[in-house]
Amino acid sequence: MITKFSVQNFKGFQDNFTFDLTQSNYEFNQGAVRNGIVNKGLIYGFNGCGKSNLGLAIFDLVLHLTDKQTIIGKYPVYLNLDSNEKYASFSYSFVFDGVLVEYSYTKVDPQVLRTEELIINGEPVIGYDFEKETGFSNLDGTQNLRLNSPDSRLSKLKFIKNNAILAENETNLIFIKFMDFVERMLLFYSLDGNAYQGFTLGVESLDDVIVKEGKLKDFERLLKKADINMNLESQLINNQNVIFSKYKNGLIPFERSASRGTNSLELFYFWYIRMSKASFVFIDEFDAFYHYELSELIIRELLKLYDTQIILTTHNTDLLTNDLLRPDCYYIMNPKNIVSIANSTEKELRKAHNLQKMFKAGAFNE
């Protein structure tokens, strides 16, 4: 799981910006945390404060550590335009089986690494300076691997994963778990159609996947939970399954008969049926088209995915309640920092507190 992330000189983050997912000590809603780390979290912040850019920053490592889907078009202005620094800095902390993994790197643009370093359990195991073309790997099984070939700009972690025959020991196992975690990270949007980064590759038909996974009736049940009463059936057209809404006098393709919010719900469900295999999910503006009750329903569905770490951004303060999560799982973001509401007040927050009322009254303003 990700425990902490820091970024500097990337897009709007001129100075060091840290997102800390280590939690406070609350006894209620323990399913929202896992092993002392926030497992389900919501981020609040005014428009333009950087919530979307935070997601892009966290998922920047997908660009060079994996061959998964990227949304490179979201990275046109990479470095902060008010800074004199020539590179952006990224730093991640993870925990796997109780072992701390720290990964940091610098970049001059989305595709060009300047430095990278991996530390496992306090010991540097991989380090490389791409400008000097010098570095090291202490992983057992990489002794004869030439890090400066064949592509001097390829991530050395990715190069080692693809080319080394690693010995079976604890450090190498943690390295493999770290790389697998990154492979299974997923960022997606509800505002931009099926735009996503990480987890898989290519664009698929939402209808076709839902039907092939045998989830059409389950999707229909989810719609009914949201008081959207639609009878669905599918037909194979040009070798792809298409979902239709069934009425007394005929059929209409689902995407034409559904509202924008209901179509957004299909996009969510398309990813939801795969999320149990994801490691870390970031959904930007997840409920932009949802009624507040549907937004709550979605969070309750996500809470069932205990093994998947999920962060959402939202403006919906109706979700700011201890009935769903807890004070250390709600974050308030501004361009300079991001802090949980548990750490935004000296007041001891209890389960009975009305967090939404306190938020609107300015109780968590720094």
Side-chain angles (χ1 to χ4, degrees), residues 323-341:
D323 291 335
L324 274 179
L325 300 176
R326 40 192 257 185
D328 50 353
C329 296
Y330 294 108
Y331 290 84
I332 300 174
M333 181 174 174
N334 63 51
K336 297 296 183 182
N337 59 32
I338 181 169
V339 183
S340 72
I341 64 172

Side-chain angles (χ1 to χ4, degrees), residues 120-121 123 125 138-140 169-176:
I120 297 178
N121 207 18
E123 295 293 331
V125 294
N138 293 328
L139 294 178
D140 192 2
N169 59 43
E170 182 180 8
T171 299
N172 287 352
L173 178 61
I174 295 299
F175 169 72
I176 292 170

Side-chain angles (χ1 to χ4, degrees), residues 97-108:
D97 298 333
V99 177
L100 176 64
V101 175
E102 299 164 279
Y103 178 54
S104 60
Y105 60 89
T106 58
K107 274 183 173 179
V108 298

Side-chain angles (χ1 to χ4, degrees), residues 163-182:
N163 294 280
I165 300 176
L166 298 175
E168 294 185 9
N169 59 43
E170 182 180 8
T171 299
N172 287 352
L173 178 61
I174 295 299
F175 169 72
I176 292 170
K177 287 188 175 183
F178 161 69
M179 294 297 287
D180 175 68
F181 185 95
V182 178

Side-chain angles (χ1 to χ4, degrees), residues 304-330:
K304 298 175 182 178
L305 303 175
Y306 182 68
D307 291 330
T308 305
Q309 194 175 12
I310 302 174
I311 302 297
L312 314 171
T313 72
T314 184
H315 294 286
N316 186 350
T317 60
D318 287 310
L319 303 175
L320 197 57
T321 168
N322 285 323
D323 291 335
L324 274 179
L325 300 176
R326 40 192 257 185
D328 50 353
C329 296
Y330 294 108

Side-chain angles (χ1 to χ4, degrees), residues 33 38 48 67 88 94 99-100 114 117 120 129 139 178 181 206 209 236 238 252 259 361:
V33 301
V38 171
D67 294 316
F94 303 82
V99 177
L100 176 64
R114 177 178 171 270
E117 181 180 41
I120 297 178
D129 186 316
L139 294 178
F178 161 69
F181 185 95
L206 307 185
V209 169
L236 192 64
N238 296 327
I252 302 178
S259 68

Side-chain angles (χ1 to χ4, degrees), residues 61-332:
L61 82 175
V62 170
L63 298 177
H64 63 268
L65 287 183
T66 80
D67 294 316
K68 302 298 185 180
Q69 183 80 10
T70 66
I71 41 177
I72 198 69
K74 296 282 187 180
Y75 295 86
V77 180
Y78 194 73
L79 301 180
N80 183 274
L81 296 179
D82 287 325
S83 174
N84 293 323
E85 294 289 338
K86 303 301 182 184
Y87 54 87
S89 303
F90 300 81
S91 177
Y92 303 76
S93 295
F94 303 82
V95 169
F96 302 106
D97 298 333
V99 177
L100 176 64
V101 175
E102 299 164 279
Y103 178 54
S104 60
Y105 60 89
T106 58
K107 274 183 173 179
V108 298
D109 68 33
Q111 305 289 359
V112 180
L113 282 161
R114 177 178 171 270
T115 62
E116 69 176 335
E117 181 180 41
L118 181 69
I119 299 172
I120 297 178
N121 207 18
E123 295 293 331
V125 294
I126 300 173
Y128 200 81
D129 186 316
F130 290 84
E131 293 181 346
K132 297 178 180 178
E133 295 189 356
T134 60
F136 66 90
S137 172
N138 293 328
L139 294 178
D140 192 2
T142 63
Q143 291 86 342
N144 298 319
L145 208 60
R146 293 181 57 194
L147 293 183
N148 61 348
S149 66
D151 183 352
S152 62
R153 285 297 175 182
L154 179 68
S155 163
K156 300 313 164 185
L157 277 70
K158 184 178 180 181
F159 177 68
I160 288 169
K161 178 200 170 194
N162 292 341
N163 294 280
I165 300 176
L166 298 175
E168 294 185 9
N169 59 43
E170 182 180 8
T171 299
N172 287 352
L173 178 61
I174 295 299
F175 169 72
I176 292 170
K177 287 188 175 183
F178 161 69
M179 294 297 287
D180 175 68
F181 185 95
V182 178
E183 288 275 343
R184 295 184 294 111
M185 291 174 64
L186 169 65
L187 162 70
F188 76 91
Y189 301 85
S190 61
L191 294 174
D192 295 336
N194 193 11
Y196 73 98
Q197 183 152 298
F199 191 70
T200 187
L201 184 63
V203 177
E204 300 174 277
S205 161
L206 307 185
D207 289 8
D208 193 53
V209 169
I210 290 172
V211 174
K212 283 182 176 178
E213 294 285 338
K215 296 292 186 178
L216 183 59
K217 288 304 175 183
D218 189 60
F219 177 49
E220 187 178 280
R221 284 192 291 271
L222 178 64
L223 292 175
K224 285 181 166 55
K225 277 187 180 181
D227 292 325
I228 303 170
N229 294 305
M230 302 179 77
N231 294 314
L232 305 179
E233 67 175 55
S234 66
Q235 293 182 8
L236 192 64
I237 300 176
N238 296 327
N239 294 319
Q240 281 203 330
N241 292 287
V242 178
I243 297 175
F244 289 86
S245 301
K246 184 178 180 180
Y247 299 93
K248 288 182 179 179
N249 297 315
L251 302 172
I252 302 178
F254 175 81
E255 67 174 345
R256 287 171 48 193
S257 62
S259 68
R260 191 170 185 183
T262 305
N263 275 303
S264 176
L265 185 57
E266 184 188 17
L267 175 63
F268 164 80
Y269 186 77
F270 166 85
W271 287 117
Y272 177 74
I273 59 179
R274 298 173 165 191
M275 276 188 208
S276 62
K277 297 178 182 178
S279 57
F280 180 92
V281 177
F282 191 105
I283 313 176
D284 192 32
E285 301 284 11
F286 88 102
D287 58 346
F289 302 113
Y290 296 163
H291 184 270
Y292 76 91
E293 291 180 343
L294 177 55
S295 300
E296 181 177 331
L297 171 64
I298 293 301
I299 292 179
R300 294 195 184 280
E301 292 295 318
L302 292 174
L303 283 168
K304 298 175 182 178
L305 303 175
Y306 182 68
D307 291 330
T308 305
Q309 194 175 12
I310 302 174
I311 302 297
L312 314 171
T313 72
T314 184
H315 294 286
N316 186 350
T317 60
D318 287 310
L319 303 175
L320 197 57
T321 168
N322 285 323
D323 291 335
L324 274 179
L325 300 176
R326 40 192 257 185
D328 50 353
C329 296
Y330 294 108
Y331 290 84
I332 300 174

